[in-house]
Amino acid sequence: MTAGSSLEHVVARASGLMLAGRTVDGVLRLLTSTAVQAVPSAYGAGITLVGDDGVSATTAGTDRLVEAADGLQYELAEGPCLTAWLTRRVVRVDDAAAETRWPRWASAVVDLGLHSVLSAPVVAGDAAFGAIKLYSRDAGAFTDHDETTLGLFAAQTALLVAGARSSRQAGRLGGDVQALLARRDALQQAIGLLMGRDRVTEQAALGHLASVAERERLSVHDIASRALTEHARRVVVRP
């Protein structure tokens, strides 16, 4: 299952769950279970949400081992998913047994039988809500491609969490959520544009946008918007 098809499945199922009056927790559980399917090397997944009071909690953990590994981060106040949330960057641990950034957490998580971790921040606009993460029992389990895939799931998670919190606060979508929706749509349109123009796969198109974004130190959404703008200009000036 590709990242794109996985997300289409999640969005469709999420819409049905919300229309049925389910809580956002049910939708987040769907996200984590589908993320594990989209990244075969992953053993389990979870989402860390940080409240306004700064207290962290795991939502939608796929099993107790994920919750235990996350609990160590909260207890020790260190670890990759907390760092992803604080820095708003993807954090990857290739081998916890050799990890030096968070020595206490790394030692404890190895004792649980986990060795690789991939964490992506859940961010909407100026708000950082937490992180979504994957765990694996094998060292070196995750790749750059997996980082891109998890980033897509993080964006969908941010959309759902921001929408839920905004609805509770104001009963409608806030500006941040509307902006996130627009950015997501622009990214999907840019991917479709590249697929049609260059006759490449969805993943190749996303990979191209991501590589340009990294090279120019911009967000992939900025690159997507620029690609759409340049395409529109070429269409206008075409004789």
Side-chain angles (χ1 to χ4, degrees):
M1 182 180 290
T2 66
S5 62
S6 297
L7 280 173
E8 288 174 3
H9 168 74
V10 168
V11 172
R13 288 280 306 280
S15 298
L17 287 171
M18 286 180 170
L19 288 173
R22 301 288 185 87
T23 65
V24 70
D25 287 349
V27 182
L28 295 179
R29 281 194 294 273
L30 174 62
L31 273 167
T32 52
S33 63
T34 309
V36 173
Q37 297 174 26
V39 182
S41 58
Y43 166 81
I47 296 171
T48 293
L49 295 180
V50 182
D52 295 335
D53 56 0
V55 176
S56 304
T58 297
T59 298
T62 55
D63 57 52
R64 292 183 178 179
L65 189 56
V66 168
E67 294 176 353
D70 281 353
L72 288 170
Q73 295 194 64
Y74 312 149
E75 178 184 346
L76 300 171
E78 66 174 39
C81 94
L82 294 180
T83 299
W85 165 60
L86 289 169
T87 64
R88 303 191 180 194
R89 297 190 179 194
V90 174
V91 176
R92 189 164 91 193
V93 175
D94 291 319
D95 186 357
E99 182 57 61
T100 59
R101 288 172 289 183
W102 317 281
R104 295 180 299 162
W105 176 83
S107 175
V109 83
V110 167
D111 290 341
L112 292 177
L114 298 172
H115 290 272
S116 295
V117 187
L118 185 61
S119 301
V122 174
V123 178
D126 295 329
F129 300 118
I132 181 171
K133 84 294 305 238
L134 299 171
Y135 288 101
S136 175
R137 292 184 179 276
D138 301 319
F142 301 119
T143 66
D144 293 345
H145 173 77
D146 296 332
E147 289 189 18
T148 300
T149 298
L150 190 61
L152 295 175
F153 278 88
Q156 186 64 39
T157 301
L159 179 63
L160 293 169
V161 174
R165 293 190 178 183
S166 179
S167 295
R168 285 200 301 267
Q169 292 171 1
R172 58 182 175 81
L173 287 179
D176 284 346
V177 183
Q178 292 173 340
L180 186 61
L181 280 166
R183 292 172 67 194
R184 185 194 65 178
D185 290 344
L187 178 59
Q188 293 174 337
Q189 291 173 29
I191 290 173
L193 172 65
L194 293 178
M195 290 173 65
R197 186 190 70 188
D198 301 336
R199 299 184 182 278
V200 297
T201 65
E202 177 187 45
Q203 203 59 48
L206 179 59
H208 171 73
L209 293 171
S211 64
V212 173
E214 182 177 1
R215 184 173 66 247
E216 299 190 15
R217 296 186 177 182
L218 295 171
S219 75
V220 70
H221 298 93
D222 291 335
I223 299 302
S225 296
R226 189 175 71 187
L228 293 175
T229 300
E230 292 175 350
H231 174 71
R233 287 173 178 169
R234 285 194 293 270
V235 172
V236 170
V237 301
R238 183 177 298 167

